[in-house]
Amino acid sequence: MTQAPEDFTPDSSERGHPGESRPAPHGPAPLVPGQRPAPEAPRPASPEPVLPQAAEGGAPMPQASPAVPMPEPTAPPSALPIDMAPPGMAHPGMAHPGQMGPRGPVPPGAMPPGPVPVSAMPPWPGPPRPLAYYAPRPDPKRSRLATVFIVVLLVATSVFAGALVNGWRPAMPAAETGSIEGLAVQPGEGTVPSPGPNAPESEILAYLREQAQLTLDAQAESLLNGSLEGWLAAYDPTLHEKMTGRFDSLTSMQVSRFDYTITSGPLEDASGAVPLYDISVALSYCFVEPADTCKAADIVFDTRWRAGDEGMTMIEVADSEYGQGPHPWEVTDLVAAVGERTVTAVPASMAARLDEALEVSEAAAANADEWAYWEKPDRYVIYIASDEEFDTWFGSGWDSEDVLGFALPLTGTNNGVREPSTYATVMGVDRTGWNEGLTSVIRHELGHAVTLWAAPSERYADDTWWMVEGVAEYIDHGDRALEDYDRMWDVRDYVDQGGCATDILPPGEEDDTLAGSGKYGCGFLGVHYVIDEYGVEKFSEFFGMTAREGTPAVDAAETVYGKSYADLMEEITAFIAQTV
């Protein structure tokens, strides 16, 4: 279940029970630990930590900026049916009309009183759009061994399924220790003076916000410089074991960009003995490629902080959610290997198979690069999972064991603009096996990555589905003869039942294995026909206008092929009927 930001209530001995409502921010300004409510108030016998105070006669205290209204989510070009949308697809930051805020009822569309992860980010681009990939039925003419191979090879993956690779080599030398050590940020650093004992709430929160941002920036610098000590300085010791694993995973994948932005908060929670502060954070990251040119991926997550004389310290860190989380390195200790074109990552338990996975991934990437007609991926990232990770990474939660893998379009902040960016692909190796099955599905899924990489307005609708899946099948099939296509017998039987007679539509819930596999095969034959008949240049133009840029196929067909889409589909379905 997707957790709304305002429901973020991680367990802590320093706060109430999960799910408890927070006190409304009415009344006097919150007290920072160690502050006295008035100058004449006596100091406790055992003084609490005291934040550094601004010097007398210093610059006036800046006021905290009001919360930025949450932008409405942007629907994908091809809207998903409601039952395909992940839980919580409704924009997580929007408040219900009438919800109480600091100044009374919240009007429709306004910011709720809790932390909202995407408040400072451009409009939400919509969630990823996974769909089951149907297995072909066994060929009755094949041997039993070949039948087993085919079932393993092509058992269902998702519509955007795929695998990217991050690889650790057992023989690789360990990274050098960075130069950043110890506490990264001393309290009081920055441009916002520390508040006085009678400071209003806005001054206290403005100060704490900057202190938290400085701590995050220093932590990111520690990560990029390979300093575990500097990385851990931002966390309470109770998080050190978990965050050491995260540090090792990210450095193994050769993280090259790690930019934090506070999107909302801090919001005080004074329900416990010590005030705590909730802060929502956005993070843009890259692997291997230079930070100023890479295609970043964004995540958004909630954090909880303690303020004291040691500075701002994170005591709780939630995993990212909201349709694209958690990312594998957030929840699993990974080892990774970096090749010429890929980053291949596997759970630490699979380290012995990593070189093998990297080799497969690199070959699949070289094959996919031949299809970089639009924008060449800077780096393919391939995660390989056991069943345990497969059910967790990116919130997949697949109901069907027929799904072998998936690829997700991710958004990222590039040059200050949040836009469609990179792809992440995940392979369920317990389902594919390590041999030809893994090879075929990675080739298929990297076919999705290369054809849809950074697509400005993906259109995954009835009139483009056959192209999106068909070209991925075409990229996997390569230059082999049509009679060697593994789904051909399914297409034959499906056409005999009346399938693909006038159109090629996506699989539906009512489809069995034959119909699902047959439709994938029809998509492959459709792409094969238009490329063979009209050339790959026209197909790339047609695909770019429709699947990548969102133009309806009925409009693009006239522009590219000089004929109606209905006439083009009539040619395609006639070719399918003649071929099978």
Side-chain angles (χ1 to χ4, degrees):
M1 180 178 73
T2 299
Q3 185 181 38
E6 57 268 30
D7 296 332
F8 176 64
T9 54
D11 295 333
S12 171
S13 60
E14 299 176 298
R15 65 168 304 168
H17 298 291
E20 278 187 347
S21 61
R22 298 172 180 161
H26 295 289
L31 294 181
V32 178
Q35 276 189 319
R36 291 175 291 170
E40 65 274 10
R43 184 178 294 275
S46 299
E48 294 177 272
V50 180
L51 287 177
Q53 303 298 304
E56 294 185 6
M61 301 289 187
Q63 299 295 314
S65 300
V68 181
M70 175 68 66
E72 289 289 342
T74 302
S78 174
L80 284 174
I82 294 299
D83 58 358
M84 290 178 62
M89 179 175 171
H91 207 293
M94 303 307 294
H96 299 292
Q99 183 176 341
M100 289 302 297
R103 299 173 181 84
V106 178
M111 184 74 72
V116 180
V118 289
S119 62
M121 305 185 75
W124 187 250
R129 295 164 291 283
L131 194 65
Y133 178 90
Y134 288 78
R137 298 177 307 148
D139 183 352
K141 296 181 181 179
R142 293 176 183 260
S143 68
R144 181 176 179 182
L145 178 62
T147 295
V148 172
F149 159 70
I150 291 300
V151 171
V152 172
L153 175 63
L154 289 170
V155 150
T157 67
S158 86
V159 165
F160 286 106
L164 280 178
V165 193
N166 299 327
W168 163 87
R169 297 177 180 278
M172 286 178 63
E176 295 183 2
T177 302
S179 58
I180 298 177
E181 298 178 356
L183 189 62
V185 176
Q186 295 296 328
E189 293 182 10
T191 61
V192 179
S194 59
N198 295 315
E201 176 183 12
S202 59
E203 292 181 10
I204 296 172
L205 297 182
Y207 171 77
L208 294 178
R209 182 184 179 104
E210 186 186 50
Q211 292 295 298
Q213 184 67 61
L214 290 171
T215 300
L216 291 168
D217 292 344
Q219 188 203 37
E221 184 179 355
S222 296
L223 172 65
L224 297 176
N225 281 275
S227 171
L228 176 60
E229 185 178 4
W231 165 265
L232 293 178
Y235 297 114
D236 184 81
T238 58
L239 296 178
H240 282 188
E241 181 178 357
K242 176 182 178 181
M243 292 306 170
T244 295
R246 182 171 297 186
F247 177 90
D248 291 341
S249 297
L250 289 167
T251 53
S252 178
M253 297 178 72
Q254 296 188 24
V255 60
S256 59
R257 174 180 171 182
F258 212 73
D259 295 339
Y260 287 114
T261 301
I262 292 177
T263 62
S264 71
L267 179 76
E268 185 194 36
D269 181 350
S271 61
V274 177
L276 303 175
Y277 299 90
D278 292 338
I279 298 176
S280 293
V281 178
L283 169 68
S284 297
Y285 73 88
C286 295
F287 298 121
V288 183
E289 301 301 316
D292 58 345
T293 59
C294 67
K295 285 289 188 180
D298 283 352
I299 65 172
V300 180
F301 56 96
D302 292 320
T303 60
R304 174 156 279 221
W305 298 67
R306 180 179 61 242
D309 59 0
E310 79 281 10
M312 289 288 282
T313 304
M314 279 182 278
I315 64 169
E316 296 176 13
V317 179
D319 298 329
S320 63
E321 293 187 1
Y322 313 113
Q324 295 186 342
H327 288 215
W329 50 265
E330 294 182 82
V331 292
T332 304
D333 290 343
L334 303 172
V335 292
V338 175
E340 182 177 350
R341 294 292 294 127
T342 72
V343 179
T344 302
V346 302
S349 60
M350 295 184 188
R353 307 299 296 262
L354 188 55
D355 277 345
E356 178 182 350
L358 180 65
E359 182 178 357
V360 172
S361 299
E362 283 290 304
N367 179 65
D369 278 346
E370 297 179 10
W371 283 83
Y373 288 98
W374 304 275
E375 183 169 348
K376 186 175 181 178
D378 55 8
R379 181 72 52 166
Y380 300 98
V381 179
I382 302 169
Y383 298 99
I384 296 182
S386 69
D387 278 344
E388 179 181 359
E389 292 86 24
F390 192 80
D391 291 336
T392 303
W393 291 352
F394 296 106
S396 59
W398 301 106
D399 293 331
S400 173
E401 293 185 359
D402 288 337
V403 178
L404 295 184
F406 57 92
L408 293 178
L410 301 178
T411 54
T413 301
N414 299 299
N415 298 319
V417 178
R418 195 163 189 250
E419 60 188 7
S421 182
T422 184
Y423 255 75
T425 59
V426 177
M427 296 305 307
V429 74
D430 286 351
R431 306 177 183 197
T432 65
W434 281 95
N435 298 313
E436 289 85 354
L438 182 64
T439 298
S440 180
V441 181
I442 289 181
R443 283 167 62 95
H444 176 104
E445 301 308 337
L446 292 195
H448 285 314
V450 71
T451 55
L452 294 170
W453 182 272
S457 182
E458 288 185 21
R459 179 179 175 82
Y460 196 76
D462 288 356
D463 62 349
T464 57
W465 178 88
W466 65 274
M467 285 184 275
V468 171
E469 289 300 337
V471 74
E473 289 279 277
Y474 191 92
I475 291 171
D476 173 31
H477 186 74
D479 56 4
R480 289 175 291 165
L482 278 181
E483 55 266 24
D484 293 331
Y485 180 54
D486 293 312
R487 296 183 188 271
M488 191 62 77
W489 61 92
D490 279 351
V491 181
R492 183 180 303 115
D493 289 352
Y494 182 60
V495 169
D496 286 345
Q497 294 181 7
C500 301
T502 59
D503 205 347
I504 308 173
L505 297 176
E509 292 183 0
E510 72 285 355
D511 285 334
D512 57 14
T513 300
L514 170 62
S517 181
K519 288 179 177 180
Y520 269 71
C522 287
F524 164 76
L525 291 176
V527 170
H528 186 282
Y529 171 79
V530 294
I531 290 177
D532 192 54
E533 183 71 16
Y534 298 105
V536 70
E537 290 79 12
K538 282 191 175 296
F539 173 77
S540 65
E541 182 182 0
F542 188 52
F543 187 92
M545 290 182 64
T546 56
R548 290 180 54 85
E549 299 174 10
T551 303
V554 292
D555 299 325
E558 292 283 357
T559 301
V560 177
Y561 293 109
K563 61 182 62 180
S564 70
Y565 179 71
D567 288 344
L568 181 64
M569 186 53 64
E570 183 177 355
E571 293 179 18
I572 290 171
T573 53
F575 169 77
I576 292 171
Q578 295 167 4
T579 301
V580 301

